[in-house]
């Protein structure tokens, strides 16, 4: 669930959202876990529903709650893992550290490992390596990345334009920041797809360059592989005759291999299956996406459209 900011400073609220988002991503990379996406869990910010109701809504057995407090050069993060069916605490811990990028990522790694252990799940060696990776040691680059990601989630023209600049600034501060490159690619692709706010050829070239660099720095970056699939799909659709969807399909497949919890990868892959008139496969992929992001509107409306294609109007309605 969304973490609580223990400060009146708006900057701390953004920082808290970043910690929450990163922890979601970290847990989503553990194949033994089913993790609900940010889109759905954010609907429960400030909710009056109890944990049993939330668990039932989202189809989960356990809930993670937390809070973040910054005080000068220090940060305190409180986290608890709760059984949603009984409201009993399974695990809880408070982390007090000096506020550095390295410490922030180390805490997230420790939390993810502790939750996985508490739920008696096993990490693969590759997942263990990914948990201890430090994406950047530049705290300002991390702050800009968080702000950029929050703006990308909004999907509006002005927020996407701002996100693009924030990712570019993060990259300027840390040219080795793989996630910042994939975030930059997302902002460019969405400026094209959602708003036609950038010339197509320019968008394709800039997004491709950003994704190439991201995957050069970290070839396990799930977001980059999913975004590459989206880019390749739209590039193929510009071909009037016999579009080649193989590169997009390979990228989506790789993203899902790396993380079975990436709801957007399933949803975007489903759109590719629609383009290939493979409706049954598209339905399966949209259902998987909605299992991970049950309150998401776009895949749900798209699923209805797929049901309607072969005349399944009752299912569509």
């Amino acid at each position: 669930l969304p973490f609580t900011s223990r400060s009146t400073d708006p900057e701390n609220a953004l920082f808290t959202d970043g910690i929450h988002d990163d922890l979601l991503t970290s847990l989503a990379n553990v194949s033994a876990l089913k993790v609900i996406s940010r889109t759905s869990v954010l609907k429960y910010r400030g909710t009056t529903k109890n944990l049993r109701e939330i668990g039932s809504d989202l189809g989960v057995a356990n809930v993670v709650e937390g809070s973040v407090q910054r005080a000068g050069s220090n940060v305190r993060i409180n986290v608890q893992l709760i059984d949603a069916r009984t409201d009993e605490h399974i695990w809880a811990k408070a982390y007090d550290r000096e506020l550095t990028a390295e410490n922030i990522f180390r805490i997230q790694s420790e939390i993810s490992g502790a939750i996985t252990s508490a739920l008696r799940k096993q990490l693969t060696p590759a997942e263990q390596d990914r948990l201890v990776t430090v994406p950047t040691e530049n705290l300002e680059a991390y702050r800009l990345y968080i702000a950029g990601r929050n703006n990308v989630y909004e999907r509006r023209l002005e927020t996407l334009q701002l996100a693009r600049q924030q990712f570019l600034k993060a990259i300027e501060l840390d040219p080795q920041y793989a996630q910042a490159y994939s975030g930059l690619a997302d902002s460019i692709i969405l400026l094209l797809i959602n708003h036609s706010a950038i010339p197509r050829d320019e968008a394709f070239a800039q997004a491709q360059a950003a994704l190439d660099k991201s995957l050069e720095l970290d070839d396990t970056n799930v977001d980059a592989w999913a975004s590459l699939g989206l880019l390749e799909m739209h590039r193929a659709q510009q071909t009037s005759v016999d579009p080649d969807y193989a590169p997009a399909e390979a990228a989506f497949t790789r993203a899902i291999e790396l993380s079975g919890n990436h709801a957007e990868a399933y949803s975007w892959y489903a759109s590719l299956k629609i383009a290939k008139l493979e409706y049954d496969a598209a339905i399966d992929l949209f259902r998987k996406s909605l299992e991970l992001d049950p309150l998401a509107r776009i895949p749900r409306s798209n699923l209805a459209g797929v049901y309607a294609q072969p005349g399944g109007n009752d299912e569509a309605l």
Side-chain angles (χ1 to χ4, degrees), residues 1-6 12-24 27 35-49 51 54 58 60 62-68 77-80 82 150 295:
L1 293 175
F3 281 17
T4 302
S5 172
R6 300 295 187 190
N12 192 64
L14 176 63
F15 180 75
T16 299
D17 284 348
I19 297 293
H20 171 255
D21 197 16
D22 281 348
L23 185 57
L24 270 179
L27 289 169
V35 182
I36 300 301
S37 295
R38 182 183 193 272
T39 311
S40 289
V41 298
L42 283 186
K43 301 283 176 42
Y44 293 95
R45 192 193 298 277
T47 185
T48 58
K49 285 191 172 185
L51 292 186
I54 294 171
L58 299 178
V60 296
N62 306 289
V63 170
V64 177
E65 292 184 324
S67 64
V68 179
I77 302 177
N78 289 288
V79 190
Q80 50 192 359
I82 304 168
N150 274 2
L295 303 184

Side-chain angles (χ1 to χ4, degrees), residues 168-314:
L168 284 169
K169 182 62 177 177
I171 291 166
E172 181 182 327
L173 292 171
D174 182 359
Q176 305 303 306
Y177 197 172
Q179 284 92 334
Y181 286 100
S182 60
L184 174 62
D186 284 348
S187 65
I188 293 169
I189 294 169
L190 291 171
L191 279 168
L192 171 65
I193 295 172
N194 289 13
H195 301 284
S196 300
I198 182 171
R200 182 198 307 158
D201 291 345
E202 179 183 334
F204 285 169
Q206 291 184 7
Q208 184 70 62
L211 290 171
D212 286 347
K213 184 62 177 179
S214 180
L215 291 170
E216 175 190 325
L217 292 167
D218 178 8
D219 65 0
T220 66
N221 185 347
V222 181
D223 287 339
W225 282 110
S227 298
L228 181 60
L230 183 64
L231 174 63
E232 293 288 7
M233 178 174 68
H234 280 273
R235 185 149 47 201
Q237 288 172 342
Q238 302 310 309
T239 304
S240 57
V241 179
D242 194 23
D244 180 11
Y245 288 115
E249 196 140 14
F252 287 136
T253 300
R254 180 59 177 152
I256 291 169
E257 286 174 351
L258 287 167
S259 174
N261 287 301
H262 201 294
E264 284 186 318
Y266 287 105
S267 182
W268 292 340
Y269 195 5
S271 296
L272 184 150
K273 292 297 187 181
I274 294 173
K276 296 178 67 176
L277 307 182
E278 298 176 10
Y279 297 129
D280 287 344
I283 287 170
D284 289 342
L285 288 164
F286 276 134
R287 284 175 172 168
K288 181 61 178 178
S289 180
L290 287 167
E291 180 183 329
L292 299 168
D293 202 358
L295 303 184
R297 292 170 295 177
I298 293 174
R300 191 170 297 278
S301 62
N302 287 345
L303 175 59
V306 182
Y307 277 133
Q309 287 287 350
N313 293 334
D314 290 341

Side-chain angles (χ1 to χ4, degrees), residues 14-190:
L14 176 63
F15 180 75
T16 299
D17 284 348
I19 297 293
H20 171 255
D21 197 16
D22 281 348
L23 185 57
L24 270 179
T25 300
S26 182
L27 289 169
N29 287 334
V30 179
S31 57
L33 299 178
K34 169 193 169 184
V35 182
I36 300 301
S37 295
R38 182 183 193 272
T39 311
S40 289
V41 298
L42 283 186
K43 301 283 176 42
Y44 293 95
R45 192 193 298 277
T47 185
T48 58
K49 285 191 172 185
N50 61 45
L51 292 186
R52 185 172 298 175
E53 292 173 309
I54 294 171
S56 177
D57 287 350
L58 299 178
V60 296
N62 306 289
V63 170
V64 177
E65 292 184 324
S67 64
V68 179
Q69 182 175 5
R70 292 172 65 177
S73 60
N74 294 297
V75 61
R76 163 173 281 196
I77 302 177
N78 289 288
V79 190
Q80 50 192 359
L81 175 66
I82 304 168
D83 187 321
R85 296 159 296 189
T86 64
D87 209 20
E88 293 179 354
H89 282 69
I90 301 172
W91 168 85
K93 189 170 180 178
Y95 297 84
D96 289 288
R97 303 284 171 84
E98 182 183 0
L99 183 54
T100 66
E102 184 178 359
N103 280 343
I104 292 301
F105 292 117
R106 182 175 288 121
I107 291 171
Q108 292 171 12
S109 174
E110 290 178 17
I111 293 170
S112 299
I115 288 173
T116 303
S117 177
L119 295 175
R120 298 182 181 179
K121 304 296 184 181
Q122 294 294 320
L123 290 167
T124 68
E127 289 167 350
Q128 290 175 339
D129 289 342
R130 288 162 72 185
L131 277 186
V132 299
T133 298
V134 177
T136 182
E137 295 182 357
N138 188 305
L139 197 57
E140 177 61 12
Y142 177 62
R143 187 194 69 79
L144 286 162
Y145 172 76
I146 291 171
R149 271 292 172 202
N150 274 2
N151 282 320
V152 165
Y153 288 131
E154 294 292 331
R155 294 294 199 267
R156 299 196 306 271
L157 173 60
E158 61 274 16
T159 64
L160 288 168
Q161 290 172 328
L162 179 56
R164 185 182 182 184
Q165 297 307 311
Q166 288 166 329
F167 291 131
L168 284 169
K169 182 62 177 177
I171 291 166
E172 181 182 327
L173 292 171
D174 182 359
Q176 305 303 306
Y177 197 172
Q179 284 92 334
Y181 286 100
S182 60
L184 174 62
D186 284 348
S187 65
I188 293 169
I189 294 169
L190 291 171

